[in-house]
Amino acid sequence: MKRAAFAGLFSALLMLSACGSDSASPPGQASGMYKQLLRRLYHNTVPTVSAAALAQELKAPAAPVLLDARTPAEYRVSHLAGAHFVNFDSIATETFETLDREQPVVVYCSVGVRSERLGERLQALGFRKVRNLYGGLFEWVNEGYPVCTAQGPTTNVHPYSKWWSPWLKRGRKVYE
């Protein structure tokens, strides 16, 4: 089953990337091709929040908790300021006991697929205010919002793999 799902995902990715790049989309909007890809990948089980809306929310005193659902290597290269790392490989057993289930939470990964799974897990555990960053870290960076490391601001972004890297239009691609 996993192999069939991967094959379908890979085919969709190849089909969309073969159609060309439309990097001329306005700031604050995912490119048309990227939107098509996300429509195919998202199950729409977790509400989404745009990068622009999240950027505004993060300025407020009651900012949401940010959970990064990528690999340790991806997180080390860069992440949203204040984000907590949640290893995607352990979300099925994670209980998130230290988080307030009533506090708003925004989950993200590279494009939003792994974070949608994390969001589903949080919902199953009783979290009521969970949202997924639409387009993930790629869209955040593509729209010009900052990322950081433990040492401070950076332009580095881990593009996950060479197959996903075309969707990252800004930032310096760094594979660790």
Side-chain angles (χ1 to χ4, degrees), residues 16-27 29-37 39 139 142 166-169:
L16 287 170
S17 63
C19 293
S21 170
D22 59 350
S23 59
S25 47
Q29 268 191 320
S31 73
M33 299 304 281
Y34 194 48
K35 282 182 179 179
Q36 286 181 32
L37 175 66
R39 268 196 299 276
E139 188 63 15
N142 287 346
W167 303 109
L168 182 61
K169 305 294 184 192

Side-chain angles (χ1 to χ4, degrees), residues 113-160:
V113 175
R114 292 175 287 174
S115 53
E116 189 176 50
R117 302 296 79 76
L118 172 56
E120 291 167 353
R121 173 70 176 153
L122 292 168
Q123 289 171 334
L125 291 170
F127 286 82
R128 298 176 188 272
K129 301 173 186 170
V130 179
R131 291 172 297 155
N132 188 16
L133 177 58
Y134 180 79
L137 185 72
F138 286 12
E139 188 63 15
W140 178 266
V141 171
N142 287 346
E143 291 187 19
Y145 295 108
V147 290
C148 66
T149 67
Q151 290 72 42
T154 187
T155 59
N156 295 343
V157 180
H158 195 298
Y160 186 70

